[in-house]
Every structure is written in structure tokens, then in C-alpha cells.
Amino acid sequence: MHTLPALAPPSRAVETARLLLRLRTASDPAPVHEQLRALGPVLRVPWLRSLVVTGHDECRAILRDGSFIHPDAGWRDRHQPGWRGHPAMRALYSSLLTSNAPDHGRLRATLAPLFSRGAVAALRPRIAELADDCLDGLAAVLREGVADIAAEVGVPLPARVMCSWLGLPEEDAPVLTGLSRRFAAVHELSPSEAQIADADRAQAELRAYFTPVVRACAAGRGHGVLARWIGAGGLSEEEYVVNAALLFVTGFETTAALLATVTRVVLEQPALGDRLREAPEEEVAAEVEDVMRRYPPAALLSRVATEERTLAGVRVPPDQLVHLLLGPANLDPAARRSAAAHLSFGSGAHYCLGASVARLELAVFLPALLRRFPALRLAAPPEPADGLAHPQARRLLVTEYMAVGVF
């Protein structure tokens, strides 16, 4: 009788690649994040020609270390020849979102006053009106039995909030939502040629939309945040067009992902919804913060080393690309120290300017949902999120009549 030799365990690189692929189809990424974190804080992935960082302290150090920069034009010329032929890539990599010093500081300084505490707080009444209107639409569909809460609330609410805040016609929200979703694909890890081509077409349409908006604001004919920002001057027309579009895209995509995730988590745990329904705002905010920690809306960030560094005993040479996985990093006990400890909105110079707007939308939306629909439950198991860098739940079916515990 012959005994088969034991199979060698897969290498950490192979296991990391396998888990990254699983993330693309996981309806709940948290267990996969735990497995990635267990492999170690810094992992080599040869097929990506990069390091994958899962440790909280290592991710935070990279985000706060000026020697790690966004992959800039020079790096892309060396490693991604042909990228300049794609309008979506040119727009993304010249925007505030991915710029480096000194351009990043210059661009951010013009936008920062728009996100002051007072300016954001002034949005609350309008967000409440829009949330009530979206919930009215949800109620109408629920009377027929089952509704897709992502389609009725999760997508239109943040899109309409962004339009109202920026000073764009709210009736343009559906068009801008579609363009945003198509453009955002270029920010994914290893997008396909088809996705890049479609993102290029979306970018052309975004440019065609925002160019006359910017020119109207520059001539004093606009209103809202864009009018104040552009009216103050200081940037070129091209910079205003690119970053006005990115303001909508990032503000919409981030909050849409969070609304869907928070809704799913609360509906999966009816006792949690019961507790939060009449809870003080501070308790609701703390629970929302914990959901954001476990399910970051931007789950992957990329940086390039400009100097040699050592992370968790792993040498990082200059020009090395590193991918930061914020989901695993946020499961580290270090991320639970305080609301400021998790990395879901980044850290350091690139900390998300719109984080307070996203938090406000969630603070208004969640109590309104729970109070108005106390019997709301999931009508079907959640579908896998679409995307690894920016996971999005495309559908979330709910009903007021599904018995608890069916799934």
C-alpha cells in the first residue's frame, strides 16, 4: 500500500493571490480580510509586481510617510507605457485624489474651506429632506412586496446630496451616477481593457458636462459649492473641470458604498436595529463608525516608495509599488483604539476631505430608515460586492414582511 505524500501548503504569495480573487466574489469580505491579515502585515505578490500591506501600523506609517507617494506620471511612464492615451487615467492621475506634493497641497488648500465644520453642518436640513423623499419612494415600492434599497435610496440619496451641495440640477443625478460608476472602474486593481475603454468614454462625457458648468461659475452665473470654489479663482480651467467631476465621483461612490453596507449590517442583525432605532445620536455614530472600520468604502490604496524602507522586516526598495488593504488593516486591534484610529478615510496629507459629509449623511439616514421601517428585513441574501478597490453592492433586496432568521 502506497501512501501519497502530503501536499505542501501553498506559499504565502499564492494564498494572498487566492484570497484577493475571493474578495471579488465575497458577499461579506470580513472573513477574507481576517485570513489575509493572518498571513502577515507585508506580503509579496509577484503577479502584481507589488507588496500587499495588511498591517494597521504599517498601512498608517505608509500613509503618513512623505517618501511614499501616489504612483505619478514618471512612475507610470516607466511601468505602464501607453497610459497617457487614456483620458480617464489622465484625469484621475492629475486630480486631487492622486496628486503628490506640491500640487496636492495647492489643490487641497483651495477646497478645504468648503468642508469646514459649519459648512458641512449646514447641509443637514437638505440631507434630511432628500432622505425623507427617497424613503417615500422606498415605501411606495415596498407596498408591492420587495424593493431594492440600493436603487431606491443607496444610489439616489448620495447622488442628489452631491448635486444639491455642488449646485448642479438634481434631475442630472441619474446621468452623473451612471458616468461615475463607469469612470470609477479605472481606479480598480488591474481593470480590464474593456473597463478602461468604457471609463475613457465616461470621462469624455464628464468633461463635456462639467466644462460649461465651470465656465458658468467662473462668469458668476453658478451657485452652490462649485460657484464659491471656482469664483475664488487660483486654478486653471482644466484643474477645475477635472476636480469638479472628481468631487462628484468620490462623494457619490464613497457614500453609496457606506449606505449599502450600513443598511445590510443593521438588517442582518434585527436586535441591533431595535437598539439603534431610538438611541442617542452619539451611539448611532459609534456603531456607524464601527461598520466603516470593518467595511471601508475605499478598500485599497496604492503608493510607491521613493526611498528604501523596511516594513515588518521586509525590504521596500525605491520605486516599489505597494497596495494597502484597509479592510484587513482595520481589523487589527490597533484600529479599535478610537474613531480616528481606523483608516477607512485614509490618514495623513491625503485624509479624505469629504469624510464629515459621508458621516453626516449616514447619521441622518440610518435613524430615519429604522424609525420609518421597523419591520424591514432582507428579502434575499446579499449579493457579492462589485469591485475590490471600491466594493459596491449593486442590489440589496428588502421587504417589510420577511420573517427574521430565514437566512
Side-chain angles (χ1 to χ4, degrees), residues 73-203:
W75 186 90
R76 295 188 184 280
D77 286 339
R78 293 191 298 276
H79 297 278
Q80 295 179 340
W83 74 273
R84 292 180 185 270
H86 294 287
M89 288 187 176
R90 291 201 308 272
L92 178 64
Y93 301 135
S94 64
S95 71
L96 173 70
L97 192 64
T98 58
S99 61
N100 295 308
D103 287 338
H104 177 260
R106 177 177 59 84
L107 292 169
R108 190 177 177 102
T110 69
L111 282 164
L114 308 180
F115 294 90
S116 68
R117 182 174 297 181
V120 172
L123 289 170
R124 180 182 282 269
R126 184 57 181 154
I127 292 174
E129 290 176 6
L130 291 171
D132 285 342
D133 189 56
C134 288
L135 292 176
D136 286 344
L138 176 65
V141 178
L142 281 172
R143 283 194 285 271
E144 303 299 321
V146 175
D148 178 4
I149 197 170
E152 300 301 329
V153 184
V155 169
L157 176 57
R160 292 174 65 186
V161 167
M162 289 306 298
C163 284
S164 178
W165 182 56
L166 294 175
L168 305 172
E170 282 186 30
E171 57 267 26
D172 291 350
V175 171
L176 291 171
T177 295
L179 294 176
S180 176
R181 286 276 161 92
R182 292 164 56 201
F183 174 84
V186 79
H187 210 206
E188 272 299 322
L189 185 65
S190 302
S192 68
E193 290 185 10
Q195 286 177 310
I196 294 172
D198 192 44
D200 286 340
R201 291 189 290 270
Q203 166 56 24

Side-chain angles (χ1 to χ4, degrees), residues 251-316:
F252 162 71
E253 294 288 342
T254 298
T255 311
L258 287 172
L259 284 172
T261 300
V262 169
T263 301
R264 174 180 65 80
V265 170
V266 170
L267 296 185
E268 286 177 332
Q269 305 174 53
L272 174 62
D274 292 342
R275 176 167 62 82
L276 294 179
R277 187 167 293 111
E278 301 300 335
E281 186 169 324
E282 296 78 12
E283 186 176 343
V284 175
E287 190 62 41
V288 166
E289 205 69 33
D290 189 59
V291 174
M292 288 192 293
R293 175 186 65 80
R294 289 183 285 142
Y295 303 98
L300 182 145
L301 303 176
S302 299
R303 297 291 189 271
V304 170
T306 61
E307 302 173 6
E308 182 166 323
R309 287 286 187 268
T310 299
L311 294 170
V314 177
R315 176 178 172 270
V316 185

